[in-house]
Amino acid sequence: MKVTVDRAKCEGYAKCVGVSPKVFKLDEKFISVVIDPKADTDQKILFAAKVCPTKAIILEEEETGKRIFPEA
Ligand code: SF4
């Protein structure tokens, strides 16, 4: 699964980091960055994306590029 953070949408709530600290961390500007998209299960990462208040985490199928979350 491809995991991207929309830096324009992220407001540094760090909920994603709380759910999946091996995948997400806050950078020096308090914006979430993806450290390792394979460090957690897809299910856990989907949960992290769902708890993000600004829907800044974008999940896509690696091979097809099809959007998984948030729904377009
Ligand atoms: S939960 Fe969303 S807004 Fe908060 S740090 Fe993570 S990506 Fe950014």
Side-chain angles (χ1 to χ4, degrees):
M1 193 166 64
K2 189 168 172 246
V3 185
T4 319
V5 174
D6 182 338
R7 297 184 62 85
K9 280 194 177 167
C10 174
E11 291 179 11
Y13 292 104
K15 289 194 181 270
C16 54
V17 182
V19 171
S20 190
K22 290 187 199 143
V23 175
F24 301 98
K25 71 163 190 181
L26 294 191
D27 69 8
E28 66 285 352
K29 290 183 176 150
F30 298 102
I31 302 289
S32 174
V33 289
V34 178
I35 326 162
D36 179 2
K38 305 268 180 257
D40 223 334
T41 61
D42 285 2
Q43 221 175 358
K44 198 85 178 280
I45 296 171
L46 176 62
F47 183 64
K50 284 184 174 169
V51 299
C52 172
T54 63
K55 298 276 175 283
I57 299 170
I58 299 155
L59 308 177
E60 291 158 328
E61 278 178 16
E62 210 151 336
E63 280 171 20
T64 62
K66 193 172 161 260
R67 175 74 73 95
I68 299 167
F69 188 87
E71 278 152 36

